[in-house]
């Protein structure tokens, strides 16, 4: 894409804005960041310093005015699509796109893309490891953050990409709002549950935004979805790419031939599923005992990741059978920071950091994954989500919730009342470990955003780990 001389406006500084600006400068464009905050009020002052260091001009306290020769406005994902300054740019005839669209346009490498409400970071890392194990030069990028693996923004990865690479990108719903031509070669949606309803008017709008991931995919591309998913559907209801032997097929219609191929996984999946002691991946049986994880949700993540990698390899002209190297990639997985991360064990009480858990469905899935009685630290800022399902899940009193943070009172009411509320996450932790006994789990699974007390989920998790390690390393009273 030739950007030489183009005047590109970037709405919002931060990590995303810096990446877009850096790439635009490198490609000969004339970028300028527009940020509504006064210079001294920008939340992350290091971003201001980084912009000055690379020579990226920034307009602070932006009033919404753009120069008349502005080519495009590239949005930071944090900017709501209903923002009046976006409409003003559109009225001016300026093209409005998001970071993902910008990154796609400048990338020389094909992109594998993963979105979903829960499990997308783990699936993204597993896909990255599968392709790496197959000898593909692979970059882990996109919305993924704080995973403990080498990661970068999609724009940074796209800028340095080469045609023989593959970019494996986690994509958020926010990043999908302003795509136009974005077309991954292999893509999947892990699941869609209510989330971010403080940003979207309805669950239907949120789900439709996730579904945009598939909107430009065509013949020669590969889609991975859960079989019989009640929400996620491929474009055109296209057929499965792999039909087990002995299953009769019909001839594809002309319309179907123009659509991407679809792999399905799950209990009734054609291409990936768990059967007793094996993971079935297309034509390959993989012993569950040979994998470095035991959680049922990670078996599902592994199915999806293997099929996404398989699709990417097929798009590169790979063999039709599932490659052994894909399975080796799954075997190299060692978990992610802040996602079901075991912090330690003291006298038989395990402590788990799952700070990335930011919705009620994720709380349920997290507790189900450990199977033992769990003392759950929950709280922060509710994203206008309904905690009713979690109320029913906790009704048998097998697990105990400890609430803290800005919306603790609201959470207690939605959970049926009677749950203790603590002044801080640390106070909640101290009470939880006091009540926990051998064989039980103390888990940070907030179910909420972190912005009341922390800059992001990573800082929240780091603070939790510091508190937990202090307890884990303290000699118990005799």
């Amino acid at each position: 894409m030739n950007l030489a001389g183009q005047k590109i406006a970037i709405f919002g500084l931060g990590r995303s804005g810096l990446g877009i600006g850096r790439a635009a400068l490198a490609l000969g464009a004339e970028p300028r960041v527009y940020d509504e905050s006064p210079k001294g009020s920008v939340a992350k002052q290091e971003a201001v310093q980084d912009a000055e260091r690379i020579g990226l001009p920034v307009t602070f306290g932006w009033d919404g005015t753009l120069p008349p020769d502005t080519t495009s406005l590239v949005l930071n994902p944090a900017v709501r699509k209903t923002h009046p300054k976006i409409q003003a740019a559109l009225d001016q005839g300026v093209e409005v796109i998001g970071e993902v669209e910008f990154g796609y346009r400048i990338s020389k490498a094909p992109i594998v893309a993963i979105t979903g409400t829960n499990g997308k970071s783990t699936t993204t890392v597993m896909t990255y490891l599968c392709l790496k194990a197959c000898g593909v030069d692979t970059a882990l990028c996109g919305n993924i953050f704080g995973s403990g693996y080498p990661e970068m923004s999609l724009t940074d990865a796209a800028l340095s990409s080469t045609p023989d690479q593959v970019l494996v990108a986690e994509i958020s719903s926010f990043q999908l709002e302003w795509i136009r031509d974005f077309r991954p070669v292999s893509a999947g949606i892990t699941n869609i549950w209510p989330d971010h309803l403080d940003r979207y008017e309805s669950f239907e709008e949120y789900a439709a935004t996730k579904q945009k991931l598939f909107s430009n995919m065509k013949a020669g591309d590969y889609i991975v979805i859960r079989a019989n998913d009640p929400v996620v559907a491929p474009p055109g209801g296209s057929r499965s790419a792999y039909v087990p032997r002995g299953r009769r097929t019909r001839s594809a219609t002309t319309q179907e031939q123009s659509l991407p191929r679809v792999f399905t996984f799950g209990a009734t999946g054609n291409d990936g599923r768990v059967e007793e002691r094996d993971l079935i991946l297309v034509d390959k049986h993989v012993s569950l005992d040979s994998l470095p994880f035991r959680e049922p949700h990670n078996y599902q993540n592994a199915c999806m990741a293997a099929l996404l990698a398989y699709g990417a390899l097929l798009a590169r002209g790979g063999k039709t059978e599932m490659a052994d190297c894909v399975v080796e990639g799954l075997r190299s997985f060692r978990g992610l920071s802040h996602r079901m991360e075991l912090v330690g064990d003291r006298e038989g009480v395990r402590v788990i950091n799952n700070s990335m858990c930011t919705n009620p469905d994720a709380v349920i899935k997290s507790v189900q994954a450990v199977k033992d009685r769990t003392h759950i630290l929950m709280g922060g800022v509710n994203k206008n989500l309904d905690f009713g399902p979690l109320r029913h899940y906790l009704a048998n009193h097998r697990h105990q919730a400890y609430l803290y943070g800005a919306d603790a009172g609201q959470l207690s009411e939605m959970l049926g009342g009677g749950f203790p509320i603590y002044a801080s996450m640390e106070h909640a932790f101290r009470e939880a470990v006091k009540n926990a006994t051998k064989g039980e789990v103390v888990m940070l699974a907030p179910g909420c955003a972190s912005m009341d007390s922390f800059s992001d989920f990573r800082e929240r998790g780091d603070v939790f780990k510091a508190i937990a390690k202090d307890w884990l390393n303290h000699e118990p009273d005799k």
Side-chain angles (χ1 to χ4, degrees):
M1 182 181 181
N2 183 14
L3 296 182
Q6 291 192 20
K7 293 193 175 179
I8 297 175
I10 302 163
F11 191 173
L13 189 52
R15 176 174 175 251
S16 173
L18 281 170
I20 297 164
R22 186 164 43 242
L25 285 170
L27 295 170
E30 298 177 23
R32 174 174 285 274
V33 175
Y34 295 86
D35 199 287
E36 292 182 301
S37 300
K39 184 175 182 179
S41 301
V42 173
K44 296 184 178 179
Q45 284 295 307
E46 62 270 21
V48 177
Q49 297 163 8
D50 287 343
E52 293 173 348
R53 179 177 52 80
I54 65 175
L56 177 62
V58 182
T59 295
F60 295 101
W62 183 41
D63 63 3
T65 304
L66 290 174
D69 55 352
T70 300
T71 308
S72 58
L73 175 64
V74 188
L75 304 178
N76 183 310
V79 178
R80 291 175 178 266
K81 65 180 182 179
T82 55
H83 198 293
K85 290 175 183 175
I86 297 176
Q87 188 59 51
L90 291 169
D91 292 342
Q92 188 178 321
V94 174
E95 181 188 38
V96 176
I97 61 173
E99 177 196 12
V100 165
E101 180 69 26
F102 180 82
Y104 171 73
R105 292 182 183 185
I106 68 172
S107 178
K108 298 181 179 67
I111 297 173
V112 176
I114 299 97
T115 194
T117 305
N118 298 321
K120 59 184 177 290
S121 293
T122 298
T123 303
T124 302
V125 168
M126 286 182 173
T127 306
Y128 160 77
L129 293 173
C130 288
L131 288 171
K132 273 195 69 176
C134 291
V136 179
D137 186 0
T138 309
L140 178 66
C141 60
N143 189 60
I144 193 163
F145 181 61
S147 67
Y149 288 82
E151 60 196 22
M152 62 182 80
S153 73
L154 176 58
T155 305
D156 285 336
L159 177 63
S160 60
S161 64
T162 61
D164 61 342
Q165 284 184 308
V166 173
L167 309 186
V168 179
E170 176 187 318
I171 308 293
S172 72
S173 62
F174 297 178
Q175 292 174 315
L176 288 167
E177 290 173 357
W178 291 96
I179 64 167
R180 196 184 79 180
D181 302 317
F182 177 60
R183 178 187 171 189
V185 297
S186 182
I189 300 176
T190 58
N191 47 62
I192 302 180
W193 294 94
D195 200 359
H196 299 298
L197 297 186
D198 54 344
R199 170 125 171 179
Y200 298 102
E201 291 185 2
S202 65
F203 171 68
E204 289 73 20
E205 183 190 7
Y206 168 66
T209 305
K210 289 285 192 189
Q211 289 271 169
K212 290 179 71 175
L213 183 71
F214 301 150
S215 59
N216 295 312
M217 297 181 72
K218 300 173 184 175
D221 302 330
Y222 297 86
I223 283 175
V224 183
I225 60 172
R226 187 183 302 274
N228 301 311
D229 191 293
V231 180
V232 180
S238 54
R239 66 197 185 285
S240 172
Y242 172 78
V243 180
R245 292 179 183 175
R247 186 172 298 181
R248 296 185 63 184
T249 62
R250 58 178 176 80
S251 298
T253 66
T254 302
Q255 180 186 12
E256 286 177 323
Q257 289 171 349
S258 69
L259 293 169
R261 304 293 294 273
V262 178
F263 295 112
T264 59
F265 71 98
T268 58
N270 280 346
D271 314 293
R273 59 192 179 278
V274 179
E275 287 187 356
E276 295 184 1
R277 299 181 181 180
D278 288 340
L279 205 64
I280 311 299
L281 300 173
V282 187
D283 53 0
K284 194 170 296 296
H285 289 237
V286 181
S287 169
L288 298 180
D289 290 339
S290 72
L291 298 171
F293 41 83
R294 295 290 176 268
E295 304 87 0
H297 68 276
N298 269 336
Y299 292 145
Q300 300 302 316
N301 292 336
C303 284
M304 186 173 200
L307 294 170
L308 285 163
Y310 180 47
L313 294 171
L314 289 175
R316 290 164 60 93
K319 297 179 180 180
T320 57
E321 67 269 14
M322 175 64 72
D324 290 335
C325 55
V326 170
V327 178
E328 289 308 309
L330 295 177
R331 289 176 177 143
S332 69
F333 180 71
R334 294 295 178 268
L336 279 67
S337 299
H338 310 296
R339 288 89 166 172
M340 297 301 289
E341 178 185 12
L342 179 64
V343 184
D345 180 303
R346 173 174 154 180
E347 296 185 311
V349 175
R350 287 176 289 153
V351 179
I352 294 175
N353 166 33
N354 196 27
S355 181
M356 187 57 179
C357 165
T358 60
N359 61 72
D361 179 69
V363 177
I364 295 172
K365 294 291 196 306
S366 303
V367 176
Q368 287 175 334
V370 299
K371 300 178 181 176
D372 298 314
R373 173 172 165 78
T374 304
H375 301 262
I376 316 161
L377 276 62
M378 295 172 52
V381 179
N382 181 24
K383 296 178 286 183
N384 198 28
L385 301 178
D386 177 17
F387 279 70
L390 188 56
R391 172 180 180 172
H392 297 306
Y393 183 74
L394 296 174
N396 64 6
H397 303 292
R398 171 170 163 73
H399 308 290
Q400 175 64 42
Y402 302 74
L403 308 180
Y404 69 91
D407 288 339
Q410 180 192 110
L411 294 188
S412 180
E413 183 177 340
M414 285 192 288
L415 293 174
F419 289 91
I421 295 176
Y422 298 90
S424 67
M425 183 172 68
E426 181 171 7
H427 283 86
F429 176 82
R430 298 298 174 193
E431 188 65 19
V433 294
K434 185 168 72 173
N435 294 338
T437 60
K438 184 176 180 179
E440 297 182 352
V441 174
V442 172
M443 180 192 296
L444 174 65
C448 297
S450 58
M451 300 305 181
D452 58 336
S453 302
F454 308 100
S455 59
D456 52 43
F457 75 87
R458 187 172 65 169
E459 182 189 7
R460 174 170 64 186
D462 287 341
V463 170
F464 175 77
K465 287 193 289 185
I467 294 167
K469 287 177 180 177
D470 180 66
W471 177 77
L472 290 164
N473 296 329
H474 180 75
E475 188 70 26
D477 295 332
K478 300 298 183 184

